[in-house]
Amino acid sequence: MLAVGSIAQDIYVPEALSGKFTQTREIKDAGITLKSEGVFSIHKAKGIKWTVEKPFQQTIVINPEAVVEGGEVAKQMASIMGGLLIQDLDALQKFFVVKRTIKGNGFEINLKTTDETIAKIFSEIYIKGRKYVDIAILYNPQGDKTTINFSNLRESAEDF
Amino acid sequence: MRRPAIFFAIYAFAIVAIFFTRPFTLRTDIMDVAPVVREDPQVTKALDRLSRAYTGRLNILFGASELIKAKDAGVFFKDNLTDKPFKVQFLISEQENDYLSLLSTYNHRLLSDATAHLLEMCDYETIRNNSLAMLYSPVAVNVLPLEQDPFLLASDFMMNLGITKSSFFPNQGVLSAKLDGLFYAYMSIELEDTSPSYFKHVFNGIERAKAKTFVDFPDVSINISGIPAHSARAISKSIAETNIITGASVFLLMLISLIVFRSAVCFLYAVCTVGMGIALAIMLTAIIFGEIHVLALVFGASLIGLCLDYHIHYFVEKGISNQPWINIGRAVSICLITSVAGFGVMMLSGVPILMQIAVIATIGLINTYFIIRFLYPVFLKKSNVRAISPFVSSLEKRLANFVRVAFRKHTAIKLAVVVIFSLAGIIQLRSGDDLKNLYKPEKDMIESEALFARVGGATSAPVMVVIQGTDEQDVLEKEEIFRNSLHSFNYRAVSQAIPSFRKQNRNFALTENLYENELDTLLSTISAPKGLKNKMYNNLLAQKDRPLEISEIPDSLKFLLSENTSVVLVENATDKAELASLAREAGAHFSDRIQEITHILNTLRNKVTIIFLLVIATVFSAIAVVYRSMRDAFYMLSPAFMSVLITLGVLGFAGEQITLFHVLALFLVVCLGADYVIFRVEGRDTGNQTGSAIALSCLTSIVAFGALGFTSFAVTRALGITLGLGFTIAYLLSPLATLSIKRKADMNYNTG
């Protein structure tokens, strides 16, 4: 495990990233599993475009304009999600204690929140990958678990 | 000799003793100069309460790489604030910390404005789609379990809660924010007073606590901002500047005394006489009005400086005569009568600050008059006051002759040129009533404010709209109606955090309709197990007749609400006219505090200008009565009036923005300008000595008051510049009056 202060120095942070995802959300109390898949695109300056293709068509765009409308919580969510996808640990360290472990060619990052607002949404986050993030697992305080698998990743972002 | 000395000693002791033992309230708030009187006292009360809460609040940010460090430093700082004559808020109480949890238990009675609107329009499909999008989103904000909030309406409400639009948010027991990788913990200090002595006491304590905190927490930054911080800096800077200038003035006055009279006696008598006059004036004014405004104190005390005039004439005459009062008594008495007549107009003006200035100046002048009239002859009877230096007499004579010669021929044309020049400058005068002109903060203070604005998310002082009602629920209902028109504004209102009972009931009914129309579809879309629907309905119905009460929410969120009024704070309002119009339409009261202060200063300046003209008319009448000649009165007051015109003209050409304080200083120019001429006219028979005394009087006045023009504080600077220019011009023009009156006398003689 590396010290927090040195984490950002040896990690690759792309300007843009896009690819496919499959997401499984397990809602513990309700006994429901929500499965979805689609494509995403992220650009450090432009924001995130998250397109759900199944089970229904839905596109979420989180950019500076949307952040203004959504308020501070939306701004924080955008920052966290962007940080997760492109491994921008500087952004994540604002909200989490970051523990990073190197394993072979890959890495594992464990995030525990220090922020009470964020703690109402995520209690813990785990991400694993090689050059890019392969899998992200997010836990919320109600015990719900969201697993996102990423594939076909490339360093570009479509216009949005 | 013994009896008057004993009387004087008792008198002086009594004044000094009462002055130092009877504290009085010194007002410093600009709003106290002429308080805004609104039609409804409740509105005034609500706005004043909130306005004073803003103007009396210090914002302290503790910045560190970790929030816990910033929090610990804040706790340490607070513990080291010994003797706290103020309210400190830092750690969030349990009640406030649980605010979001509290709202979670009333979630079916709370809806964001946008969602409530969609439900009113029966647009259930949009709500359902939004809910599904949130449920499937990786960044879903789901603050409650699904069985309590299937449509994620509680999350939607909290994300849109106006109260949380500030960047500060409860975290680790404090209000915190993040900026540029640093954590900030927010502390507020509510001050209860605005007097300089209280500020000094408070800020000394804060500086000590800050120094101790830096020792134990060297990595933590402490940023202090807020209006009191500026006031404290301004007071401390003003005191430092005034001390330097006073020290320099005292030194120069002492030097003048030593050069002119070759003795310090004149200077020491002046200090005692003026000092006693000011002490007595302040004491009696405080008794009459119950309090004194600092501006009245500054300008009133300056007007008492007129009596330096009487004092110097006495000493100059004493140098050549054993009975100086016989030579100057009539002139001094006429000066007193004309000045007091002018102050009388100010007393009747109805403008509180002018009334206080007039009372202070009148008491001070009368006190000084009697000391010079009755005590100087006794105390100075055996004193060997030396005649004024021949060099000074000669210099003054040459100067006066130069002016007389310069204007002897074509006087009217030359004066007309001067008047035209002055009017050209006056045309260029611009008013500077904007509050921002009164105070220009230093760089570090600007940076502190900018940091607090960036961290806290506020960029300008909010404007306020007051809503009135018969009780709290009525106020909330009216506020909700008004808020419907505020879509284009960013605002904070208490009804955002706690809707009225009526709105809560309406929200509940809308949510119930949503369940009836869309819950089945939603649950089937997400393949929810059987039994979940019943649980969801049970959770909904449990909140049916259980409204969120005002008493349940934290005090910090209720500060905008009182029994019959609430205040909506609109931040960064760019279109204030539209907001004012919306408030009017809703029967609410719009208030832009900064604009109001600027308006007060503007109105007051216009009123004071009119009163100033009345004062000139009164002084003119007084002189006309004393000399039984309107023509003489015209000639005698012309130099003073001309000096006012020329001073304003020069200020116009110099690009100075004219304020209330420039106009107030002109009162002093007129009074002293009239005195110069009265002494010249009355002292025609005593030749050089009168002129020397006037020159000396002018020089000491310029040294004492003109130096204030070099200060950075807008009020004293305006006073100094106006007086420095006004006195000089009034002195230079004063020989012209005697020229005219002599001519007339010669004409009368020749005619006779």
Side-chain angles (χ1 to χ4, degrees):
Chain A
M1 190 187 82
L2 297 175
V4 172
S6 65
I7 286 173
Q9 293 169 12
D10 64 345
I11 201 154
Y12 179 66
V13 181
E15 279 296 305
L17 195 69
S18 59
K20 290 185 175 180
F21 72 86
T22 55
Q23 178 183 298
T24 306
R25 188 165 186 207
E26 297 166 47
I27 302 175
K28 190 181 170 187
D29 288 344
I32 297 172
T33 300
L34 302 173
K35 288 185 180 172
S36 59
E37 59 182 74
V39 294
F40 77 95
S41 184
I42 176 169
H43 189 281
K44 269 187 103 171
K46 293 176 183 171
I48 305 167
K49 186 175 183 180
W50 191 264
T51 305
V52 179
E53 294 171 338
K54 287 179 183 175
F56 52 85
Q57 191 74 28
Q58 182 96 38
T59 299
I60 302 169
V61 176
I62 306 176
N63 55 27
E65 288 74 31
V67 163
V68 170
E69 287 173 12
E72 193 61 22
V73 180
K75 189 177 176 181
Q76 291 173 346
M77 287 301 101
S79 179
I80 291 168
M81 200 57 204
L84 283 176
L85 292 173
I86 59 171
Q87 306 162 67
D88 185 354
L89 298 187
D90 281 342
L92 294 175
Q93 280 182 56
K94 290 178 185 174
F95 309 99
F96 302 94
V97 171
V98 182
K99 289 182 184 174
R100 183 168 180 256
T101 314
I102 304 291
K103 283 189 176 176
N105 291 333
F107 63 86
E108 289 180 13
I109 298 173
N110 186 260
L111 308 166
K112 283 196 175 171
T113 185
T114 55
D115 187 298
E116 286 187 9
T117 314
I118 302 301
K120 291 183 187 301
I121 301 154
F122 300 124
S123 53
E124 193 174 351
I125 297 175
Y126 169 81
I127 53 180
K128 186 180 170 185
R130 282 160 294 180
K131 188 175 180 183
Y132 309 118
V133 175
D134 293 330
I135 184 168
I137 303 173
L138 299 83
Y139 297 92
N140 79 2
Q142 285 80 40
D144 300 348
K145 178 183 174 187
T146 303
T147 306
I148 312 170
N149 287 288
F150 299 96
S151 59
N152 290 356
L153 297 174
R154 59 191 180 281
E155 283 187 41
S156 63
E158 63 174 282
D159 287 338
F160 51 94
Chain B
M1 169 74 185
R2 181 175 288 176
R3 198 176 291 168
I6 293 170
F7 165 76
F8 178 75
I10 294 170
Y11 178 62
F13 179 76
I15 290 175
V16 173
I18 296 172
F19 181 77
F20 283 106
T21 54
R22 192 182 184 285
F24 62 90
T25 307
L26 185 67
R27 294 275 171 209
T28 55
D29 191 338
I30 196 74
M31 297 301 280
D32 294 327
V33 170
V36 183
V37 179
R38 293 183 181 82
E39 289 175 10
D40 195 319
Q42 280 186 347
V43 175
T44 307
K45 200 175 161 188
L47 286 172
D48 283 350
R49 187 173 62 85
L50 207 64
S51 174
R52 289 189 197 282
Y54 263 90
T55 55
R57 182 187 299 160
L58 269 176
N59 304 308
I60 305 184
L61 290 178
F62 298 91
S65 55
E66 293 169 44
L67 184 57
I68 191 69
K69 271 191 193 172
K71 181 185 174 183
D72 289 346
V75 171
F76 182 86
F77 178 89
K78 188 181 174 187
D79 290 344
N80 278 280
L81 283 171
T82 51
D83 179 26
K84 304 179 189 71
F86 41 75
K87 189 177 170 189
V88 185
Q89 287 188 322
F90 187 54
L91 298 176
I92 301 167
S93 68
E94 285 298 315
Q95 188 191 18
E96 286 165 332
N97 215 4
D98 289 342
Y99 173 61
L100 293 182
S101 306
L102 175 79
L103 291 187
S104 300
T105 60
Y106 292 95
N107 66 301
H108 297 306
R109 310 185 68 82
L110 305 168
L111 292 174
S112 72
D113 289 342
T115 301
H117 179 69
L118 287 172
L119 290 174
E120 293 279 4
M121 307 299 290
C122 298
D123 189 355
Y124 301 123
E125 192 182 343
T126 303
I127 299 275
R128 188 188 68 229
N129 287 340
N130 288 345
S131 306
L132 283 171
M134 285 277 276
L135 277 170
Y136 281 91
S137 164
V139 291
V141 180
N142 191 8
V143 295
L144 291 180
L146 196 67
E147 64 182 38
Q148 282 185 36
D149 188 21
F151 292 95
L152 283 76
L153 301 183
S155 305
D156 172 61
F157 174 77
M158 286 182 189
M159 284 178 71
N160 290 286
L161 192 58
I163 294 289
T164 62
K165 278 182 183 166
S166 157
S167 299
F168 290 115
F169 216 83
N171 194 2
Q172 298 188 24
V174 290
L175 275 180
S176 70
K178 300 183 198 85
L179 183 74
D180 300 336
L182 279 181
F183 288 89
Y184 291 92
Y186 172 66
M187 175 186 286
S188 71
I189 292 182
E190 310 280 345
L191 304 186
E192 292 159 0
D193 192 359
T194 54
S195 68
S197 58
Y198 175 76
F199 268 41
K200 195 177 172 188
H201 178 68
V202 169
F203 276 87
N204 283 343
I206 286 175
E207 285 303 321
R208 277 195 298 273
K210 194 175 165 184
K212 284 181 185 173
T213 310
F214 278 141
V215 173
D216 280 37
F217 298 87
D219 300 337
V220 175
S221 66
I222 302 176
N223 184 78
I224 301 176
S225 58
I227 292 173
H230 291 262
S231 304
R233 176 70 68 86
I235 288 169
S236 124
K237 193 177 173 190
S238 167
I239 288 172
E241 281 181 347
T242 309
N243 284 344
I244 292 170
I245 285 172
T246 306
S249 300
V250 166
F251 173 76
L252 284 172
L253 291 174
M254 173 83 97
L255 201 64
I256 291 168
S257 177
L258 288 172
I259 291 171
V260 176
F261 296 104
R262 284 143 288 174
S263 151
V265 174
C266 175
F267 172 76
L268 295 174
Y269 266 74
V271 170
C272 291
T273 308
V274 174
M276 277 182 62
I278 290 174
L280 179 71
I282 291 173
M283 196 178 75
L284 293 180
T285 308
I287 290 171
I288 293 168
F289 291 95
E291 61 186 30
I292 302 179
H293 197 282
V294 69
L295 290 178
L297 191 64
V298 170
F299 284 91
S302 301
L303 282 168
I304 295 174
L306 281 172
C307 62
L308 267 177
D309 215 18
Y310 310 166
H311 163 86
I312 286 168
H313 280 279
Y314 189 94
F315 265 79
V316 169
E317 284 299 319
K318 175 70 182 165
I320 54 169
S321 162
N322 280 330
Q323 292 180 307
W325 186 258
I326 291 172
N327 290 337
I328 66 159
R330 182 179 145 87
V332 172
S333 302
I334 294 170
C335 287
L336 180 73
I337 290 167
T338 53
S339 296
V340 170
F343 298 152
V345 175
M346 290 163 73
M347 280 185 215
L348 299 173
S349 68
V351 180
I353 189 168
L354 281 190
M355 293 164 76
Q356 286 187 10
I357 290 173
V359 170
I360 291 173
T362 304
I363 293 169
L365 274 185
I366 292 173
N367 175 72
T368 306
Y369 177 86
F370 280 104
I371 288 176
I372 292 173
R373 170 68 185 89
F374 296 108
L375 297 179
Y376 273 27
V378 179
F379 290 130
L380 290 168
K381 191 173 184 179
K382 291 178 182 172
S383 294
N384 183 23
V385 175
R386 299 176 71 170
I388 198 164
S389 159
F391 171 74
V392 176
S393 303
S394 157
L395 196 67
E396 197 285 329
K397 190 179 175 187
R398 285 182 191 181
L399 194 61
N401 277 340
F402 172 78
V403 175
R404 284 193 188 103
V405 169
F407 281 89
R408 190 180 297 277
K409 291 179 181 174
H410 312 299
T411 312
I413 295 170
K414 287 172 183 170
L415 287 176
V417 170
V418 173
V419 170
I420 290 167
F421 164 82
S422 305
L423 291 175
I426 290 170
I427 289 169
Q428 296 184 49
L429 274 177
R430 295 286 173 270
S431 69
D433 297 319
D434 193 327
L435 186 62
K436 289 171 190 165
N437 291 334
L438 287 185
Y439 170 67
K440 290 192 170 46
E442 289 174 30
K443 195 183 168 194
D444 65 319
M445 298 298 287
I446 294 172
E447 286 170 356
S448 288
E449 289 298 340
L451 177 68
F452 180 71
R454 283 177 66 214
V455 172
T459 54
S460 64
V463 291
M464 300 181 266
V465 176
V466 182
I467 313 282
Q468 288 177 282
T470 51
D471 55 29
E472 286 177 335
Q473 286 303 318
D474 189 39
V475 170
L476 288 176
E477 285 176 24
K478 286 181 174 166
E479 191 178 286
E480 283 158 356
I481 294 168
F482 175 61
R483 279 175 45 213
N484 288 334
S485 61
L486 291 182
H487 300 303
S488 57
F489 294 94
N490 184 19
Y491 61 90
R492 295 179 190 209
V494 72
S495 61
Q496 289 172 298
I498 175 163
S500 65
F501 288 164
R502 180 181 292 193
K503 184 156 189 184
Q504 287 187 45
N505 292 338
R506 181 66 187 152
N507 286 342
F508 184 86
L510 289 170
T511 309
E512 203 172 17
N513 285 343
L514 175 68
Y515 272 48
E516 284 171 14
N517 287 283
E518 284 298 324
L519 190 57
D520 285 337
T521 313
L522 179 80
L523 293 179
S524 71
T525 307
I526 60 174
S527 308
K530 287 180 182 175
L532 193 58
K533 183 181 171 185
N534 283 343
K535 280 186 185 174
M536 289 172 172
Y537 258 105
N538 288 341
N539 285 329
L540 172 75
L541 295 174
Q543 293 179 20
K544 185 164 190 176
D545 297 313
R546 191 163 56 87
L548 172 59
E549 303 272 354
I550 292 171
S551 59
E552 293 179 81
I553 66 169
D555 289 341
S556 60
L557 294 176
K558 282 189 292 194
F559 78 103
L560 294 171
L561 182 71
S562 60
E563 195 179 336
N564 301 105
T565 55
S566 77
V567 180
V568 178
L569 293 178
V570 184
E571 289 167 339
N572 306 329
T574 46
D575 194 346
K576 291 179 182 174
E578 188 198 346
L579 185 63
S581 165
L582 291 172
R584 255 195 317 277
E585 283 169 20
H589 297 262
F590 171 82
S591 168
D592 180 353
R593 220 53 173 165
I594 291 180
Q595 191 58 43
E596 275 179 9
I597 294 171
T598 301
H599 179 68
I600 287 174
L601 291 175
N602 181 270
T603 309
L604 205 54
R605 183 171 56 79
N606 291 337
K607 265 189 185 176
V608 168
T609 305
I610 293 167
I611 293 163
F612 174 67
L613 296 175
L614 288 175
V615 166
I616 290 179
T618 308
V619 172
F620 175 85
S621 306
I623 294 173
V625 169
V626 169
Y627 288 93
R628 295 175 194 170
S629 163
M630 297 272 278
R631 192 182 172 89
D632 280 0
F634 173 76
Y635 284 126
M636 289 175 76
L637 205 55
S638 291
F641 188 65
M642 287 285 288
S643 70
V644 168
L645 278 184
I646 297 170
T647 301
L648 288 173
V650 172
L651 290 177
F653 281 123
E656 182 84 359
Q657 290 189 318
I658 202 86
T659 66
L660 165 72
F661 311 108
H662 292 91
V663 182
L664 284 173
L666 291 177
F667 283 89
L668 193 54
V669 171
V670 166
C671 289
L672 209 62
D675 283 6
Y676 292 161
V677 178
I678 290 169
F679 275 111
R680 279 203 191 276
V681 170
E682 292 297 319
R684 273 178 302 193
D685 298 334
T686 55
N688 286 342
Q689 296 308 319
T690 302
S692 304
I694 293 169
L696 205 54
S697 164
C698 178
L699 183 64
T700 52
S701 298
I702 290 170
V703 168
F705 302 117
L708 293 174
F710 295 101
T711 58
S712 59
F713 191 42
V715 176
T716 48
R717 188 174 161 275
L719 184 68
I721 290 175
T722 314
L723 293 183
L725 272 172
F727 289 161
T728 308
I729 298 162
Y731 164 73
L732 289 174
L733 296 180
S734 63
L736 295 181
T738 51
L739 193 70
S740 305
I741 290 170
K742 268 183 181 172
R743 274 185 187 168
K744 182 179 148 265
D746 292 343
M747 279 167 59
N748 289 344
Y749 176 79
N750 292 334
T751 311

